[in-house]
Structure formats: structure tokens, C-alpha cells
Amino acid sequence: MGVVIGAAADTGVPASELEAAQQQSSSLRDDLAAAEGELGTLRSQRSAVRARESRQDGREQELDQRAAELDAREAAIGAAEREYEENTIPGTGTFLVGEDIAAGTYRTAGSSECYWARLRGTSGDLDDIIANGFAEGPTTLTIAPSDEAFEVGRCAEWRLR
């Protein structure tokens, strides 16, 4: 303590004030060390949050990519369904060429009672029949763009080839 007192005598500061200042300085150093420790903890927590956010961003991007892939698959399925519908004639009915069905070559599996007729008109007169027949097994026929309609009854579906 002789050094402290001597220092106090040299500076003209009473020993009690110097001791109080040293205690305050020590307390401030302790506070600073605690604050630095808290700052380190906060920095670690911030780093962990940023890492979680980065992982979450990655997951969101992955989900966005998966959603885009699903949208593309749905669009492809929708296009395939539309193509199937546009290129298929159900087994019974009268279908207008160019409106209900496209001209082209069609194939059916047929059936024992499958009747078909290419028509130049829809009046119901026998003169409207261009060609007709029964498809008792697999049958292929061409519907011309000049045909007015195509009539089928009790057939398997007809598929455009």
C-alpha cells in the first residue's frame, strides 16, 4: 500500500478516492468483460439464426422448384388428356367432322355389334351414307375432310392414328 499512498501523495488525490476509482475501474472492466461475453453469445445466436434462415431459404427454394415441377406435370397431364379427348371417338353417337372430331385415320378394337357409317349429311336419308359396315374385330378406316359426319354404335372407342 505504500505505492498507492505514495501515488496518492504524488498526485494530490486522497488514497480513498484513488481506491474508489480503482474499484470502479475494476467493476467497469468486469462489466466490459460480461458485455463482451454477452456480445459473443449474441453473435453466436445471430450466426445460428442466419444459418437457420439460410436453410429455410434453401427449403423454400426447393419447395418452389417442386411446385414448379408439379405444375409442369399437371400441364403435361392436361395436354395429354386434351389430346386423348380430341383424338378419341366414343363408341356410340353421330359426330360432325371438323367440329366434334377431326378428319383422319381411326382405329378401333371393334365388337360383335359395332356399326359405323361415314356420312355426307345428317338428314337420316340412306343417300347420306358414303360407306358403312360392322367392325367385328380391330378395324381401321379413314374419315375424309369432305365427310359431314361419322356415326358409330356399340363400338369400342375409335382412336386417331
Side-chain angles (χ1 to χ4, degrees):
M1 280 215 177
V3 174
V4 173
I5 294 172
D10 291 343
T11 60
V13 177
S16 61
E17 286 183 29
L18 184 57
E19 189 175 320
Q22 287 175 339
Q23 286 176 351
Q24 185 178 11
S25 174
S26 176
S27 175
L28 289 173
R29 283 190 187 108
D30 291 345
D31 289 348
L32 178 61
E36 287 174 345
E38 287 178 27
L39 180 61
T41 299
L42 290 173
R43 284 182 176 152
S44 294
Q45 290 173 346
R46 181 180 64 191
S47 177
V49 166
R50 285 183 176 162
R52 280 192 301 270
E53 288 173 348
S54 177
R55 285 191 303 272
Q56 184 175 355
D57 288 346
R59 288 182 187 133
E60 287 175 2
Q61 289 174 354
E62 182 181 337
L63 289 174
D64 288 345
Q65 181 179 355
R66 287 183 181 177
E69 289 170 1
L70 287 175
D71 289 345
R73 286 180 187 172
E74 284 180 357
I77 290 170
E81 287 174 343
R82 282 188 301 280
E83 180 185 350
Y84 179 81
E85 289 172 4
E86 291 170 359
N87 297 323
T88 303
I89 302 171
T92 299
T94 301
F95 304 92
L96 298 176
V97 177
E99 281 185 43
D100 300 324
I101 62 171
T105 301
Y106 288 83
R107 182 160 177 78
T108 185
S111 73
S112 62
E113 300 178 1
C114 175
Y115 171 77
W116 62 268
R118 293 177 46 221
L119 305 173
R120 65 175 53 87
T122 57
S123 69
D125 292 339
L126 288 176
D127 290 339
D128 283 342
I129 298 174
I130 299 168
N132 66 348
F134 289 92
E136 294 182 11
T139 303
T140 302
L141 68 90
T142 300
I143 299 171
S146 58
D147 293 355
E148 178 74 20
F150 181 64
E151 181 181 350
V152 291
R154 299 176 306 275
C155 295
E157 68 185 16
W158 294 77
R159 292 280 299 146
L160 185 64
R161 300 194 47 111

